[in-house]
Amino acid sequence: MAQEQTTKLRVIAFGAHPDDCDGKFGGTAAKLAKAGYAVKFVSVTNGDAGHQTEGGGALARRRYAEAQESARRLGIAEYEVLDNHDGELMPTLEARRQIIRAIRRWNADVVLAPRPNDYHPDHRYTGVLVQDAAYMVVVPNVVSDTPALRHNPVFLYFEDNFQRPAPFRPDVVVSIDDVWDTKIAGLDAHVSQVYEWLPWVDGRLEEVPKDAMARKQWLSGVRAGRIGAAVRAALEKRYGADGARIQHAEAFELCEYGRRLDSEELAKLFPK
Ligand SMILES: [Zn+2]
């Protein structure tokens, strides 16, 4: 049993805000955690700008509590929130050091983050910061207060719809039909976001049901989304005939700056 535990991979995911990892990776994270992987989420900002009527420290504390509840529901080991202001993240040396420390302390085998092209500057700079930490995590004289890793982890990007400079490429796809309810339960913990801020920004706040069960069902519908052609093709390749019937999936693209794996090795990292 102990032997088995030590061979399980250590995974760390970075989002800009304390619900980003949940939305992009929550299903796969729940699956990995269930399989015994050590999974950690990090929000690079504290989320203190993500609301139409609340803000500052009070909002950051509310969102921290939501993130902890989401982690509990997803079954992941940790959800860390770095105390950087929301909406003002910059790819500074200090922020890069925070990322390098987090990856090293987790002794990560796999690191996930957004691609560095995205509508939100915090998402973009989170992508840049994690890219800048790739490779540097193995350099002992950089951030010398935290022991360097001996092996560069595998770095992967979350899926997005942005076309420039290049469309997302699904190098590995995971069916999350079996954990869809768990993913939605995780997101449901982010009340300030999924039922207040995001619907307000989208001009659909009146659509949100008042009843807790009804709004969770609404959330599931809102988040279901369409599986694009490239991801569908990758699902059919990985899952055979079942791939055409998968309703919910998450996909990831390999970053060239980390450890390079071919598609077969990559698929082995992620249980079907
Ligand atoms: Zn975000």
Side-chain angles (χ1 to χ4, degrees), residues 54-103:
E54 300 174 15
L59 178 60
R61 283 189 292 277
R62 183 181 180 199
R63 296 192 65 179
Y64 180 80
E66 291 173 345
Q68 298 314 307
E69 177 59 17
S70 175
R72 194 186 66 76
R73 294 181 187 181
L74 295 174
I76 66 168
E78 274 186 37
Y79 204 137
E80 183 177 6
V81 178
L82 302 178
D83 197 24
N84 300 307
H85 285 304
D86 186 351
E88 299 182 351
L89 185 66
M90 294 291 287
T92 62
L93 202 46
E94 190 43 45
R96 187 199 297 174
R97 290 186 183 120
Q98 291 179 324
I99 305 290
I100 290 170
R101 281 193 191 94
I103 294 169

Side-chain angles (χ1 to χ4, degrees), residues 195-232:
Y195 302 129
E196 298 174 15
W197 165 241
L198 296 172
W200 182 84
V201 169
D202 291 343
R204 58 198 297 193
L205 192 56
E206 329 70 60
E207 271 183 36
V208 181
K210 298 281 170 276
D211 173 69
M213 287 301 287
R215 73 182 185 181
K216 197 168 165 186
Q217 208 153 11
W218 172 86
L219 179 64
S220 177
V222 167
R223 291 283 169 155
R226 200 179 62 85
I227 293 178
V231 171
R232 179 63 71 191

Side-chain angles (χ1 to χ4, degrees), residues 137-189:
V137 294
V138 304
V139 180
N141 279 338
V142 171
V143 192
S144 55
D145 62 8
T146 310
L149 300 181
R150 291 298 291 124
H151 301 285
N152 205 11
V154 177
F155 285 74
L156 297 166
Y157 299 117
F158 300 137
E159 186 181 1
D160 63 59
N161 292 319
F162 301 101
Q163 299 300 306
R164 293 182 184 182
F168 173 84
R169 188 189 64 215
D171 291 322
V172 62
V173 289
V174 180
S175 165
I176 56 162
D177 282 345
D178 55 329
V179 286
W180 179 249
D181 290 346
T182 307
K183 176 170 181 170
I184 292 302
L187 287 166
D188 172 73

Side-chain angles (χ1 to χ4, degrees), residues 3-126:
Q3 175 79 36
E4 200 170 287
Q5 284 300 320
T6 56
T7 60
K8 296 294 186 185
L9 295 178
R10 302 185 62 81
V11 179
I12 190 166
F14 293 89
H17 307 113
D19 59 322
D20 289 0
C21 290
D22 318 52
K24 297 289 190 180
F25 180 54
T28 306
K31 266 176 107 126
L32 296 179
K34 223 190 259 182
Y37 290 48
V39 182
K40 173 172 178 161
F41 287 179
V42 179
S43 175
V44 182
T45 77
N46 61 18
D48 62 355
H51 205 276
Q52 67 276 32
T53 56
E54 300 174 15
L59 178 60
R61 283 189 292 277
R62 183 181 180 199
R63 296 192 65 179
Y64 180 80
E66 291 173 345
Q68 298 314 307
E69 177 59 17
S70 175
R72 194 186 66 76
R73 294 181 187 181
L74 295 174
I76 66 168
E78 274 186 37
Y79 204 137
E80 183 177 6
V81 178
L82 302 178
D83 197 24
N84 300 307
H85 285 304
D86 186 351
E88 299 182 351
L89 185 66
M90 294 291 287
T92 62
L93 202 46
E94 190 43 45
R96 187 199 297 174
R97 290 186 183 120
Q98 291 179 324
I99 305 290
I100 290 170
R101 281 193 191 94
I103 294 169
R104 287 180 177 173
R105 283 182 188 148
W106 197 245
N107 195 18
D109 301 298
V110 181
V111 181
L112 297 103
R115 297 200 301 165
N117 298 285
D118 192 292
Y119 77 101
H120 198 304
D122 291 349
H123 298 177
R124 285 203 293 278
Y125 295 137
T126 297

Side-chain angles (χ1 to χ4, degrees), residues 224-272:
R226 200 179 62 85
I227 293 178
V231 171
R232 179 63 71 191
L235 285 168
E236 289 177 5
K237 193 169 171 212
R238 183 170 193 204
Y239 292 86
D242 293 343
R245 290 188 292 272
I246 290 168
Q247 289 185 50
H248 308 291
E250 288 170 347
F252 311 98
E253 177 178 324
L254 186 68
C255 163
E256 297 169 293
Y257 312 143
R259 211 174 117 214
R260 306 273 189 101
L261 296 183
D262 63 31
S263 55
E264 216 166 281
E265 293 170 312
L266 212 45
K268 270 188 213 152
L269 292 183
F270 293 92
K272 275 189 180 174

